Amino acid sequence: MTSPADAGGPLSRGLGATWREWLVARALPLWSERGFDPERGLYHERLTWSGAPVALPELRLMVQARQIAVYCRAGLDGLYEPSARELAQALLCLETVERLYWRADGAPGWIFSLAPNGGPASRVRDLYAHAFILFAYAWAFRLTGAPHYRRAARETADETWRLFATEGEGFKDKVPQADAIRRQNPHMHLLEACLALFEATGEAFYLDQAQSLVGLACQRFVDARSGALLEEFDSGWAPLAPWGRNRVEPGHLFEWAWLLGEYRRLAACGAEEDARLRAVANRLFTLGRDWGCAPDTGLVYDAMTEEGVVLEHSTRIWPQTELLRLLCQRRKNVERGEGEELSSLSGLFFTRYAPARLAGGWVDRLDEILVPALDHIPASSLYHIYGAGREMVGAC
């Protein structure tokens, strides 16, 4: 099969066709075949660049949930029709995960990770991981309509809101808490899960929670002076560092901008709120594109400050895919004609991060001189890649 980067690049054959071919023929089969352990009924967390599983001392809930969601979405998108093997595999994994991770130590909530013997490796309750199992249930329910997935999602949501509750706004990152730092990232994925569950079930509970999370983001996470979204805060939601020295991740600017667009779509906001949220999202996009991307290549940097000073010139694969997904959304909404940027960034994706030699795998991180900084393929990135890829298939 011809590589997307060969002879003329992605645009010569159509971006949507290129992405579909790579997802259907390479990336998705890689993780459903070499990336799945049929004996345990779980996905591997890592593969070598030659596609061999990498043995690890623990398997995280977050990774399993992400893979389940990807394959359920692929089924809904028609990217695995008529074969149902991968879908059955994902639902088998969800059954296994539910049995081994949920209340596995007799306490409410989901354990963080599993040991090779099938027992808990870490009994910590992690908000980020809980957000992703909720996300997985949303897509499993949309795919199957099975009432169990809807009930399990609501039970998990109720446990999540109790376990991670604080006296003030937002949630704890972990139980037990490791530090007093408050982070936006798990809240972002909790918003994502709530939006997916609302769309799947129509339950007002999830939209109400999404509304609270959007309010928290606009009031606390977004810096009023710059318009940038900060990563870390103290226990009272004050920025962790003095102004100009706080960490900002351009990939999260794009991710939040996309989620605000999804919230606007699902919540049927009034004109004033819709305009306000659109302005916030546009500002996040503009800051990320203008300050958070390398001027020579267009690749998205890993981190900068709210003043636009680049902290980490390295580039991971997931921020590139978050920009791609957001560009598709903006193109769909006729806010910009993003065709040239989509073509350019897709070309970089297939040449720098997903070359043909990796046969559906990817380079997860490049250092500042664009040399691979890891020697394996992490499963966790497929969630980001598929999120962008499904939009590219539909938009181009």
Side-chain angles (χ1 to χ4, degrees):
M1 184 172 63
T2 305
S3 164
D6 291 341
L11 191 59
S12 64
R13 294 189 299 156
L15 288 176
T18 296
W19 275 93
R20 175 182 284 274
E21 180 183 48
W22 184 79
L23 287 170
V24 172
R26 295 189 173 195
L28 291 171
L30 175 66
W31 286 98
S32 65
E33 295 169 7
R34 297 188 180 190
F36 187 76
D37 182 352
E39 292 185 8
R40 301 184 72 182
L42 297 169
Y43 291 96
H44 295 295
E45 281 217 17
R46 293 179 184 176
L47 298 177
T48 66
W49 282 348
S50 61
V54 177
L56 295 172
E58 58 182 340
L59 293 179
R60 293 170 293 168
L61 170 65
M62 176 271 289
V63 173
Q64 301 302 316
R66 283 186 172 191
Q67 298 295 77
I68 292 164
V70 163
Y71 284 96
C72 288
R73 296 175 91 181
L76 284 163
D77 293 337
L79 295 183
Y80 261 129
E81 201 172 7
S83 172
R85 181 177 69 86
E86 292 85 356
L87 304 183
Q89 192 178 75
L91 296 175
L92 168 65
C93 181
L94 182 53
E95 292 178 14
T96 304
V97 165
E98 188 175 292
R99 175 170 50 85
L100 296 178
Y101 289 79
W102 197 10
R103 304 164 183 163
D105 55 0
W110 296 68
I111 64 171
F112 180 75
S113 60
L114 198 70
N117 65 3
S122 170
R123 292 175 168 81
V124 168
R125 269 46 176 182
D126 180 72
L127 181 61
Y128 191 95
H130 278 67
F132 274 107
I133 195 63
L134 287 168
F135 187 67
Y137 274 129
W139 288 104
F141 179 68
R142 284 190 66 176
L143 175 67
T144 67
H148 170 75
Y149 296 141
R150 181 173 183 164
R151 289 195 301 269
R154 186 54 189 270
E155 284 186 53
T156 295
D158 290 342
E159 286 184 339
T160 299
W161 263 255
R162 290 195 301 270
L163 279 169
F164 299 98
T166 64
E167 293 182 0
E169 301 169 286
F171 299 93
K172 302 172 187 174
D173 286 2
K174 300 179 186 297
V175 177
Q177 288 182 274
D179 54 43
I181 298 174
R182 312 293 293 277
R183 297 169 178 84
Q184 71 77 22
N185 198 13
H187 293 77
M188 178 182 71
H189 289 296
L190 193 59
L191 169 61
E192 178 184 38
C194 286
L195 292 175
L197 282 163
F198 173 69
E199 190 164 21
T201 68
E203 292 182 32
F205 168 83
Y206 296 115
L207 186 60
D208 290 343
Q209 303 307 321
Q211 183 179 34
S212 295
L213 289 162
V214 167
L216 179 65
C218 293
Q219 294 164 21
R220 300 295 191 182
F221 303 163
V222 175
D223 172 57
R225 183 171 168 182
S226 65
L229 184 126
L230 311 185
E231 292 290 326
E232 296 181 331
F233 306 84
D234 66 17
S235 59
W237 288 112
L240 198 60
W243 197 88
R245 293 170 55 190
N246 287 283
R247 182 180 179 88
V248 173
E249 295 192 9
H252 285 153
L253 302 185
F254 301 138
E255 207 163 356
W256 267 105
W258 188 85
L259 285 169
L260 290 175
E262 285 293 280
Y263 176 77
R264 288 169 47 223
R265 177 177 68 86
L266 293 170
C269 302
E272 184 177 345
E273 183 185 13
D274 187 82
R276 179 176 62 85
L277 294 178
R278 178 181 294 188
V280 173
N282 283 339
R283 180 62 175 162
L284 296 176
F285 168 70
T286 300
L287 287 173
R289 187 192 56 186
D290 292 351
W291 292 355
C293 297
D296 53 344
T297 64
L299 293 175
V300 184
Y301 292 130
D302 283 340
M304 63 184 190
T305 71
E306 65 267 54
E307 286 190 301
V309 176
V310 179
L311 296 175
E312 296 174 11
H313 288 81
S314 55
T315 64
R316 292 190 64 185
I317 195 170
W318 72 262
Q320 322 310 316
T321 61
E322 291 304 325
L323 177 54
L324 275 169
R325 183 174 67 162
L326 179 58
L327 290 171
C328 286
Q329 183 189 67
R330 292 173 65 83
R331 187 181 189 187
K332 188 186 304 182
N333 294 338
V334 201
E335 292 178 350
R336 278 176 56 95
E338 309 287 0
E340 185 176 343
E341 287 181 82
L342 286 169
S343 178
S344 175
L345 194 56
S346 288
L348 288 167
F349 177 87
F350 288 116
T351 54
R352 293 291 187 179
Y353 295 98
R357 64 181 175 81
L358 295 184
W362 49 83
V363 177
D364 186 73
R365 185 192 295 269
L366 300 172
D367 66 18
E368 61 184 35
I369 59 172
L370 303 182
V371 172
L374 294 179
D375 63 354
H376 62 267
I377 309 167
S380 58
S381 299
L382 183 58
Y383 147 82
H384 291 283
I385 293 166
Y386 188 78
R390 71 191 295 265
E391 297 296 330
M392 294 297 298
V393 168
C396 300

PDB file of all heavy atoms in Angstrom, residues 365-393:
ATOM      1  N   ARG A 365       6.721  11.235  20.537  1.00  0.00           N
ATOM      2  CA  ARG A 365       7.346  12.507  20.925  1.00  0.00           C
ATOM      3  C   ARG A 365       8.608  12.746  20.107  1.00  0.00           C
ATOM      4  O   ARG A 365       9.420  11.836  19.915  1.00  0.00           O
ATOM      5  CB  ARG A 365       7.699  12.500  22.415  1.00  0.00           C
ATOM      6  CG  ARG A 365       8.247  13.828  22.928  1.00  0.00           C
ATOM      7  CD  ARG A 365       8.841  13.671  24.337  1.00  0.00           C
ATOM      8  NE  ARG A 365       7.837  13.335  25.320  1.00  0.00           N
ATOM      9  CZ  ARG A 365       7.147  14.238  26.037  1.00  0.00           C
ATOM     10  NH1 ARG A 365       7.372  15.520  25.851  1.00  0.00           N
ATOM     11  NH2 ARG A 365       6.270  13.847  26.929  1.00  0.00           N
ATOM     12  N   LEU A 366       8.765  13.988  19.646  1.00  0.00           N
ATOM     13  CA  LEU A 366       9.986  14.429  18.987  1.00  0.00           C
ATOM     14  C   LEU A 366      10.650  15.486  19.852  1.00  0.00           C
ATOM     15  O   LEU A 366       9.970  16.339  20.428  1.00  0.00           O
ATOM     16  CB  LEU A 366       9.682  15.035  17.618  1.00  0.00           C
ATOM     17  CG  LEU A 366       8.985  14.126  16.591  1.00  0.00           C
ATOM     18  CD1 LEU A 366       8.588  14.936  15.363  1.00  0.00           C
ATOM     19  CD2 LEU A 366       9.887  12.963  16.197  1.00  0.00           C
ATOM     20  N   ASP A 367      11.971  15.433  19.941  1.00  0.00           N
ATOM     21  CA  ASP A 367      12.657  16.470  20.713  1.00  0.00           C
ATOM     22  C   ASP A 367      12.738  17.754  19.890  1.00  0.00           C
ATOM     23  O   ASP A 367      12.172  17.848  18.787  1.00  0.00           O
ATOM     24  CB  ASP A 367      14.030  15.991  21.192  1.00  0.00           C
ATOM     25  CG  ASP A 367      15.031  15.742  20.059  1.00  0.00           C
ATOM     26  OD1 ASP A 367      14.814  16.243  18.933  1.00  0.00           O
ATOM     27  OD2 ASP A 367      16.032  15.055  20.299  1.00  0.00           O
ATOM     28  N   GLU A 368      13.460  18.736  20.397  1.00  0.00           N
ATOM     29  CA  GLU A 368      13.456  20.054  19.750  1.00  0.00           C
ATOM     30  C   GLU A 368      14.128  20.055  18.390  1.00  0.00           C
ATOM     31  O   GLU A 368      13.915  20.979  17.601  1.00  0.00           O
ATOM     32  CB  GLU A 368      14.097  21.093  20.656  1.00  0.00           C
ATOM     33  CG  GLU A 368      15.541  20.826  21.008  1.00  0.00           C
ATOM     34  CD  GLU A 368      16.071  21.858  21.982  1.00  0.00           C
ATOM     35  OE1 GLU A 368      15.313  22.323  22.847  1.00  0.00           O
ATOM     36  OE2 GLU A 368      17.269  22.196  21.854  1.00  0.00           O
ATOM     37  N   ILE A 369      14.913  19.025  18.071  1.00  0.00           N
ATOM     38  CA  ILE A 369      15.499  18.936  16.732  1.00  0.00           C
ATOM     39  C   ILE A 369      14.812  17.843  15.912  1.00  0.00           C
ATOM     40  O   ILE A 369      15.362  17.347  14.935  1.00  0.00           O
ATOM     41  CB  ILE A 369      17.026  18.726  16.783  1.00  0.00           C
ATOM     42  CG1 ILE A 369      17.396  17.460  17.548  1.00  0.00           C
ATOM     43  CG2 ILE A 369      17.712  19.935  17.390  1.00  0.00           C
ATOM     44  CD1 ILE A 369      18.874  17.098  17.454  1.00  0.00           C
ATOM     45  N   LEU A 370      13.608  17.452  16.351  1.00  0.00           N
ATOM     46  CA  LEU A 370      12.733  16.534  15.634  1.00  0.00           C
ATOM     47  C   LEU A 370      13.286  15.116  15.534  1.00  0.00           C
ATOM     48  O   LEU A 370      13.050  14.385  14.569  1.00  0.00           O
ATOM     49  CB  LEU A 370      12.405  17.081  14.236  1.00  0.00           C
ATOM     50  CG  LEU A 370      11.766  18.468  14.209  1.00  0.00           C
ATOM     51  CD1 LEU A 370      11.436  18.877  12.777  1.00  0.00           C
ATOM     52  CD2 LEU A 370      10.513  18.511  15.063  1.00  0.00           C
ATOM     53  N   VAL A 371      14.003  14.712  16.590  1.00  0.00           N
ATOM     54  CA  VAL A 371      14.479  13.336  16.720  1.00  0.00           C
ATOM     55  C   VAL A 371      13.543  12.603  17.678  1.00  0.00           C
ATOM     56  O   VAL A 371      13.171  13.156  18.720  1.00  0.00           O
ATOM     57  CB  VAL A 371      15.926  13.303  17.252  1.00  0.00           C
ATOM     58  CG1 VAL A 371      16.356  11.876  17.586  1.00  0.00           C
ATOM     59  CG2 VAL A 371      16.869  13.922  16.229  1.00  0.00           C
ATOM     60  N   PRO A 372      13.137  11.366  17.378  1.00  0.00           N
ATOM     61  CA  PRO A 372      12.246  10.640  18.285  1.00  0.00           C
ATOM     62  C   PRO A 372      12.819  10.556  19.699  1.00  0.00           C
ATOM     63  O   PRO A 372      13.989  10.214  19.889  1.00  0.00           O
ATOM     64  CB  PRO A 372      12.145   9.254  17.646  1.00  0.00           C
ATOM     65  CG  PRO A 372      12.352   9.503  16.188  1.00  0.00           C
ATOM     66  CD  PRO A 372      13.376  10.609  16.123  1.00  0.00           C
ATOM     67  N   ALA A 373      11.973  10.868  20.678  1.00  0.00           N
ATOM     68  CA  ALA A 373      12.408  10.897  22.077  1.00  0.00           C
ATOM     69  C   ALA A 373      11.945   9.673  22.848  1.00  0.00           C
ATOM     70  O   ALA A 373      12.275   9.527  24.023  1.00  0.00           O
ATOM     71  CB  ALA A 373      11.886  12.162  22.752  1.00  0.00           C
ATOM     72  N   LEU A 374      11.163   8.778  22.222  1.00  0.00           N
ATOM     73  CA  LEU A 374      10.736   7.525  22.832  1.00  0.00           C
ATOM     74  C   LEU A 374      11.056   6.386  21.883  1.00  0.00           C
ATOM     75  O   LEU A 374      11.149   6.587  20.673  1.00  0.00           O
ATOM     76  CB  LEU A 374       9.229   7.537  23.125  1.00  0.00           C
ATOM     77  CG  LEU A 374       8.701   8.526  24.165  1.00  0.00           C
ATOM     78  CD1 LEU A 374       7.175   8.382  24.281  1.00  0.00           C
ATOM     79  CD2 LEU A 374       9.343   8.295  25.523  1.00  0.00           C
ATOM     80  N   ASP A 375      11.192   5.173  22.421  1.00  0.00           N
ATOM     81  CA  ASP A 375      11.505   4.014  21.589  1.00  0.00           C
ATOM     82  C   ASP A 375      10.355   3.020  21.548  1.00  0.00           C
ATOM     83  O   ASP A 375      10.546   1.833  21.278  1.00  0.00           O
ATOM     84  CB  ASP A 375      12.777   3.331  22.087  1.00  0.00           C
ATOM     85  CG  ASP A 375      12.621   2.772  23.502  1.00  0.00           C
ATOM     86  OD1 ASP A 375      11.569   3.023  24.140  1.00  0.00           O
ATOM     87  OD2 ASP A 375      13.556   2.092  23.968  1.00  0.00           O
ATOM     88  N   HIS A 376       9.133   3.482  21.814  1.00  0.00           N
ATOM     89  CA  HIS A 376       7.978   2.595  21.788  1.00  0.00           C
ATOM     90  C   HIS A 376       6.738   3.371  21.342  1.00  0.00           C
ATOM     91  O   HIS A 376       6.772   4.597  21.224  1.00  0.00           O
ATOM     92  CB  HIS A 376       7.745   1.976  23.172  1.00  0.00           C
ATOM     93  CG  HIS A 376       7.443   2.993  24.230  1.00  0.00           C
ATOM     94  ND1 HIS A 376       8.422   3.555  25.024  1.00  0.00           N
ATOM     95  CD2 HIS A 376       6.277   3.579  24.621  1.00  0.00           C
ATOM     96  CE1 HIS A 376       7.868   4.427  25.856  1.00  0.00           C
ATOM     97  NE2 HIS A 376       6.576   4.459  25.629  1.00  0.00           N
ATOM     98  N   ILE A 377       5.655   2.638  21.104  1.00  0.00           N
ATOM     99  CA  ILE A 377       4.387   3.231  20.684  1.00  0.00           C
ATOM    100  C   ILE A 377       3.404   3.113  21.848  1.00  0.00           C
ATOM    101  O   ILE A 377       2.995   2.001  22.190  1.00  0.00           O
ATOM    102  CB  ILE A 377       3.807   2.502  19.459  1.00  0.00           C
ATOM    103  CG1 ILE A 377       4.844   2.373  18.341  1.00  0.00           C
ATOM    104  CG2 ILE A 377       2.562   3.220  18.940  1.00  0.00           C
ATOM    105  CD1 ILE A 377       4.432   1.408  17.237  1.00  0.00           C
ATOM    106  N   PRO A 378       3.014   4.208  22.469  1.00  0.00           N
ATOM    107  CA  PRO A 378       2.049   4.128  23.563  1.00  0.00           C
ATOM    108  C   PRO A 378       0.614   4.040  23.055  1.00  0.00           C
ATOM    109  O   PRO A 378       0.198   4.807  22.178  1.00  0.00           O
ATOM    110  CB  PRO A 378       2.284   5.431  24.335  1.00  0.00           C
ATOM    111  CG  PRO A 378       2.841   6.375  23.324  1.00  0.00           C
ATOM    112  CD  PRO A 378       3.557   5.560  22.296  1.00  0.00           C
ATOM    113  N   ALA A 379      -0.141   3.116  23.625  1.00  0.00           N
ATOM    114  CA  ALA A 379      -1.533   2.940  23.217  1.00  0.00           C
ATOM    115  C   ALA A 379      -2.371   4.181  23.479  1.00  0.00           C
ATOM    116  O   ALA A 379      -3.316   4.470  22.746  1.00  0.00           O
ATOM    117  CB  ALA A 379      -2.137   1.744  23.963  1.00  0.00           C
ATOM    118  N   SER A 380      -2.030   4.915  24.521  1.00  0.00           N
ATOM    119  CA  SER A 380      -2.865   6.041  24.953  1.00  0.00           C
ATOM    120  C   SER A 380      -3.044   7.104  23.876  1.00  0.00           C
ATOM    121  O   SER A 380      -4.035   7.841  23.887  1.00  0.00           O
ATOM    122  CB  SER A 380      -2.282   6.679  26.219  1.00  0.00           C
ATOM    123  OG  SER A 380      -0.955   7.118  26.000  1.00  0.00           O
ATOM    124  N   SER A 381      -2.124   7.182  22.928  1.00  0.00           N
ATOM    125  CA  SER A 381      -2.219   8.210  21.888  1.00  0.00           C
ATOM    126  C   SER A 381      -3.305   7.925  20.860  1.00  0.00           C
ATOM    127  O   SER A 381      -3.748   8.831  20.154  1.00  0.00           O
ATOM    128  CB  SER A 381      -0.875   8.364  21.164  1.00  0.00           C
ATOM    129  OG  SER A 381       0.134   8.765  22.052  1.00  0.00           O
ATOM    130  N   LEU A 382      -3.744   6.656  20.744  1.00  0.00           N
ATOM    131  CA  LEU A 382      -4.738   6.322  19.729  1.00  0.00           C
ATOM    132  C   LEU A 382      -6.035   7.089  19.947  1.00  0.00           C
ATOM    133  O   LEU A 382      -6.711   7.461  18.973  1.00  0.00           O
ATOM    134  CB  LEU A 382      -5.009   4.817  19.727  1.00  0.00           C
ATOM    135  CG  LEU A 382      -5.982   4.309  18.653  1.00  0.00           C
ATOM    136  CD1 LEU A 382      -5.495   4.654  17.245  1.00  0.00           C
ATOM    137  CD2 LEU A 382      -6.195   2.802  18.795  1.00  0.00           C
ATOM    138  N   TYR A 383      -6.378   7.354  21.195  1.00  0.00           N
ATOM    139  CA  TYR A 383      -7.585   8.137  21.496  1.00  0.00           C
ATOM    140  C   TYR A 383      -7.530   9.512  20.830  1.00  0.00           C
ATOM    141  O   TYR A 383      -8.507   9.955  20.217  1.00  0.00           O
ATOM    142  CB  TYR A 383      -7.719   8.248  23.017  1.00  0.00           C
ATOM    143  CG  TYR A 383      -8.332   9.513  23.530  1.00  0.00           C
ATOM    144  CD1 TYR A 383      -9.719   9.691  23.556  1.00  0.00           C
ATOM    145  CD2 TYR A 383      -7.525  10.544  24.015  1.00  0.00           C
ATOM    146  CE1 TYR A 383     -10.275  10.866  24.045  1.00  0.00           C
ATOM    147  CE2 TYR A 383      -8.070  11.711  24.513  1.00  0.00           C
ATOM    148  CZ  TYR A 383      -9.447  11.871  24.516  1.00  0.00           C
ATOM    149  OH  TYR A 383      -9.984  13.036  24.999  1.00  0.00           O
ATOM    150  N   HIS A 384      -6.398  10.200  20.928  1.00  0.00           N
ATOM    151  CA  HIS A 384      -6.246  11.506  20.293  1.00  0.00           C
ATOM    152  C   HIS A 384      -6.234  11.376  18.768  1.00  0.00           C
ATOM    153  O   HIS A 384      -6.857  12.175  18.060  1.00  0.00           O
ATOM    154  CB  HIS A 384      -4.944  12.166  20.748  1.00  0.00           C
ATOM    155  CG  HIS A 384      -4.931  12.589  22.173  1.00  0.00           C
ATOM    156  ND1 HIS A 384      -5.572  13.726  22.613  1.00  0.00           N
ATOM    157  CD2 HIS A 384      -4.335  12.041  23.262  1.00  0.00           C
ATOM    158  CE1 HIS A 384      -5.378  13.866  23.908  1.00  0.00           C
ATOM    159  NE2 HIS A 384      -4.634  12.864  24.330  1.00  0.00           N
ATOM    160  N   ILE A 385      -5.487  10.388  18.290  1.00  0.00           N
ATOM    161  CA  ILE A 385      -5.340  10.215  16.844  1.00  0.00           C
ATOM    162  C   ILE A 385      -6.684   9.898  16.199  1.00  0.00           C
ATOM    163  O   ILE A 385      -7.052  10.472  15.167  1.00  0.00           O
ATOM    164  CB  ILE A 385      -4.311   9.105  16.554  1.00  0.00           C
ATOM    165  CG1 ILE A 385      -2.907   9.550  17.003  1.00  0.00           C
ATOM    166  CG2 ILE A 385      -4.313   8.733  15.073  1.00  0.00           C
ATOM    167  CD1 ILE A 385      -1.902   8.418  17.061  1.00  0.00           C
ATOM    168  N   TYR A 386      -7.430   8.996  16.815  1.00  0.00           N
ATOM    169  CA  TYR A 386      -8.718   8.637  16.224  1.00  0.00           C
ATOM    170  C   TYR A 386      -9.706   9.805  16.289  1.00  0.00           C
ATOM    171  O   TYR A 386     -10.479  10.012  15.349  1.00  0.00           O
ATOM    172  CB  TYR A 386      -9.328   7.399  16.897  1.00  0.00           C
ATOM    173  CG  TYR A 386     -10.553   6.952  16.134  1.00  0.00           C
ATOM    174  CD1 TYR A 386     -10.413   6.236  14.952  1.00  0.00           C
ATOM    175  CD2 TYR A 386     -11.826   7.313  16.546  1.00  0.00           C
ATOM    176  CE1 TYR A 386     -11.524   5.882  14.195  1.00  0.00           C
ATOM    177  CE2 TYR A 386     -12.942   6.960  15.795  1.00  0.00           C
ATOM    178  CZ  TYR A 386     -12.785   6.246  14.624  1.00  0.00           C
ATOM    179  OH  TYR A 386     -13.882   5.918  13.874  1.00  0.00           O
ATOM    180  N   GLY A 387      -9.663  10.572  17.370  1.00  0.00           N
ATOM    181  CA  GLY A 387     -10.533  11.730  17.472  1.00  0.00           C
ATOM    182  C   GLY A 387     -10.343  12.691  16.322  1.00  0.00           C
ATOM    183  O   GLY A 387     -11.313  13.259  15.788  1.00  0.00           O
ATOM    184  N   ALA A 388      -9.086  12.883  15.916  1.00  0.00           N
ATOM    185  CA  ALA A 388      -8.811  13.739  14.758  1.00  0.00           C
ATOM    186  C   ALA A 388      -9.109  13.017  13.452  1.00  0.00           C
ATOM    187  O   ALA A 388      -9.691  13.593  12.527  1.00  0.00           O
ATOM    188  CB  ALA A 388      -7.361  14.201  14.790  1.00  0.00           C
ATOM    189  N   GLY A 389      -8.713  11.751  13.385  1.00  0.00           N
ATOM    190  CA  GLY A 389      -8.866  11.010  12.139  1.00  0.00           C
ATOM    191  C   GLY A 389     -10.306  10.879  11.693  1.00  0.00           C
ATOM    192  O   GLY A 389     -10.617  11.012  10.503  1.00  0.00           O
ATOM    193  N   ARG A 390     -11.222  10.634  12.656  1.00  0.00           N
ATOM    194  CA  ARG A 390     -12.641  10.485  12.274  1.00  0.00           C
ATOM    195  C   ARG A 390     -13.186  11.793  11.725  1.00  0.00           C
ATOM    196  O   ARG A 390     -14.053  11.801  10.846  1.00  0.00           O
ATOM    197  CB  ARG A 390     -13.451   9.979  13.461  1.00  0.00           C
ATOM    198  CG  ARG A 390     -13.646  10.979  14.566  1.00  0.00           C
ATOM    199  CD  ARG A 390     -14.219  10.343  15.834  1.00  0.00           C
ATOM    200  NE  ARG A 390     -15.566   9.820  15.631  1.00  0.00           N
ATOM    201  CZ  ARG A 390     -16.680  10.490  15.911  1.00  0.00           C
ATOM    202  NH1 ARG A 390     -16.607  11.734  16.380  1.00  0.00           N
ATOM    203  NH2 ARG A 390     -17.859   9.935  15.743  1.00  0.00           N
ATOM    204  N   GLU A 391     -12.672  12.917  12.258  1.00  0.00           N
ATOM    205  CA  GLU A 391     -13.094  14.226  11.737  1.00  0.00           C
ATOM    206  C   GLU A 391     -12.518  14.469  10.351  1.00  0.00           C
ATOM    207  O   GLU A 391     -13.194  15.015   9.465  1.00  0.00           O
ATOM    208  CB  GLU A 391     -12.664  15.333  12.690  1.00  0.00           C
ATOM    209  CG  GLU A 391     -13.297  15.275  14.065  1.00  0.00           C
ATOM    210  CD  GLU A 391     -14.804  15.467  14.035  1.00  0.00           C
ATOM    211  OE1 GLU A 391     -15.285  16.186  13.128  1.00  0.00           O
ATOM    212  OE2 GLU A 391     -15.485  14.901  14.904  1.00  0.00           O
ATOM    213  N   MET A 392     -11.273  14.042  10.149  1.00  0.00           N
ATOM    214  CA  MET A 392     -10.666  14.208   8.829  1.00  0.00           C
ATOM    215  C   MET A 392     -11.386  13.379   7.780  1.00  0.00           C
ATOM    216  O   MET A 392     -11.594  13.815   6.645  1.00  0.00           O
ATOM    217  CB  MET A 392      -9.180  13.819   8.887  1.00  0.00           C
ATOM    218  CG  MET A 392      -8.325  14.748   9.742  1.00  0.00           C
ATOM    219  SD  MET A 392      -8.259  16.444   9.125  1.00  0.00           S
ATOM    220  CE  MET A 392      -7.483  16.206   7.534  1.00  0.00           C
ATOM    221  N   VAL A 393     -11.787  12.162   8.150  1.00  0.00           N
ATOM    222  CA  VAL A 393     -12.517  11.304   7.211  1.00  0.00           C
ATOM    223  C   VAL A 393     -13.836  11.955   6.815  1.00  0.00           C
ATOM    224  O   VAL A 393     -14.241  11.926   5.648  1.00  0.00           O
ATOM    225  CB  VAL A 393     -12.758   9.919   7.842  1.00  0.00           C
ATOM    226  CG1 VAL A 393     -13.755   9.110   7.008  1.00  0.00           C
ATOM    227  CG2 VAL A 393     -11.457   9.156   7.984  1.00  0.00           C
TER     228      VAL A 393
END
